[in-house]
Amino acid sequence: DTKILSGAVIQDLGAGNGFYSYETNGQPLDFLDIFQTINSDDSEPRVYYDSVAGGISAGAEKDNSIIYRFETIYPMTKARINVEPAGEAFVTPLIYYSFDDQNWSEIKKEINTSSATMFNQILEKTDNHTQIFVKISYDKNDLLAKSTKLFGIRKIKFYANLKI
């Protein structure tokens, strides 16, 4: 079954072109847009809407991961993924994308001019896929350095040019 996320908009721009946009809004509804939560021992992962961070948080334990699935309905010709982590007190997240939920590519973090860490990936080649997965996990090497044993995201944005 195809699921359009609560923060998604699909626009017909005419001449066979379209645009898909999704952005979390910092509200509890963001939690419902999560496709899957997983961990290493098949127990229920600690993942929740975090009103203090204004986003989604999870326990940095048991290989916890949060997966979003963006279904664009129409084939993508180009896409962009942008993720803002929950904050400096949290364990650094690791962000990946996949077109098949099996083969993952890491999105590297970047430091922007306001010194905030962001994850940003432009996908020039999307092979006309109609869905993409984004997985948020955590950097185990950062775990000991942080007093807050949580990882998370404040905001996730996904944009795609579509062939309609």
Side-chain angles (χ1 to χ4, degrees):
D1 289 342
T2 300
K3 179 183 175 190
I4 304 300
L5 303 182
S6 65
V9 174
I10 300 173
Q11 298 171 298
D12 184 342
L13 303 176
N17 297 309
F19 190 72
Y20 178 99
S21 62
Y22 172 84
E23 185 173 327
T24 54
N25 61 13
Q27 300 296 320
L29 187 60
D30 295 343
F31 182 80
L32 299 177
D33 286 341
I34 294 172
F35 171 66
Q36 183 179 26
T37 57
I38 53 175
N39 64 23
S40 60
D41 67 3
D42 292 329
S43 63
E44 191 66 32
R46 288 190 314 131
V47 177
Y48 55 93
Y49 171 75
D50 187 335
S51 60
V52 175
I56 304 298
S57 294
E61 60 191 17
K62 302 179 186 175
D63 296 321
N64 275 354
S65 293
I66 303 163
I67 299 176
Y68 282 85
R69 177 174 66 185
F70 301 102
E71 296 181 280
T72 61
I73 311 297
Y74 301 100
M76 292 180 272
T77 58
K78 184 177 178 180
R80 179 178 175 202
I81 303 164
N82 182 273
V83 179
E84 180 184 347
E88 291 299 317
F90 287 72
V91 176
T92 302
L94 298 175
I95 314 292
Y96 304 88
Y97 73 92
S98 171
F99 291 107
D100 61 6
D101 198 19
Q102 301 295 317
N103 300 298
W104 296 94
S105 297
E106 186 172 359
I107 299 174
K108 299 293 183 191
K109 66 181 173 182
E110 58 185 46
I111 307 296
N112 68 21
T113 55
S114 66
S115 76
T117 302
M118 298 292 286
F119 294 81
N120 191 40
Q121 181 77 44
I122 294 174
L123 304 170
E124 297 285 350
K125 189 170 168 101
T126 57
D127 294 331
N128 291 317
H129 287 283
T130 59
Q131 70 177 4
I132 189 169
F133 299 86
V134 175
K135 177 167 70 171
I136 300 106
S137 188
Y138 63 96
D139 183 350
K140 292 181 181 122
N141 296 324
D142 194 37
L143 194 55
L144 294 175
K146 303 294 175 145
S147 58
T148 302
K149 303 302 183 197
L150 297 170
F151 71 97
I153 59 167
R154 182 169 290 130
K155 188 166 279 293
I156 184 168
K157 300 175 188 176
F158 175 71
Y159 306 105
N161 294 339
L162 306 175
K163 191 179 348 173
I164 295 182

